[in-house]
Amino acid sequence: MAICYYCRHCGTAVGTLEDEELLVSPQLGFDQLTDEEQQQIIHYGSDGHVHVRVTCDHCEEALERDPELHDLDRWIQ
């Protein structure tokens, strides 16, 4: 099982953690999220991996330049 991070806006793979011990580690910060945030950000794939939606650096820069993009869930097609 792995934790796969990908951008919620452009779909780019950001990184993967392969260490199963990290899945229960408070270092990931999942325990700091509300139940609603966890449902929005963390998905469990049929492949057995955990998929985490984040924002990549490129999209973060675009959001800083145009804050109105925050209103859209997926603005890069």
Side-chain angles (χ1 to χ4, degrees), residues 45-64:
S46 58
D47 57 2
H49 299 314
V50 177
H51 300 272
V52 182
R53 296 172 44 169
V54 296
T55 302
C56 71
D57 291 339
H58 174 75
C59 290
E60 183 64 35
E61 290 173 11
L63 288 165
E64 287 175 10

Side-chain angles (χ1 to χ4, degrees), residues 1 7 12 14 16 21-25 29 34-35 37 45-46 49 57 60-61 66-67 69-70 77:
M1 182 183 330
C7 182
T12 300
V14 176
T16 302
E21 288 183 24
L22 287 176
L23 292 176
V24 294
S25 173
T34 65
D35 289 340
E37 290 169 331
S46 58
H49 299 314
D57 291 339
E60 183 64 35
E61 290 173 11
D66 189 358
L69 293 174
H70 281 282
Q77 302 299 319

Side-chain angles (χ1 to χ4, degrees), residues 9-43:
H9 302 289
C10 68
T12 300
V14 176
T16 302
L17 296 174
E18 303 275 345
D19 190 349
E20 289 188 30
E21 288 183 24
L22 287 176
L23 292 176
V24 294
S25 173
Q27 291 176 331
L28 294 175
F30 294 158
D31 60 330
Q32 300 296 311
L33 300 172
T34 65
D35 289 340
E36 182 179 331
E37 290 169 331
Q38 287 181 18
Q39 289 177 353
Q40 292 174 352
I41 296 170
I42 304 168
H43 303 276

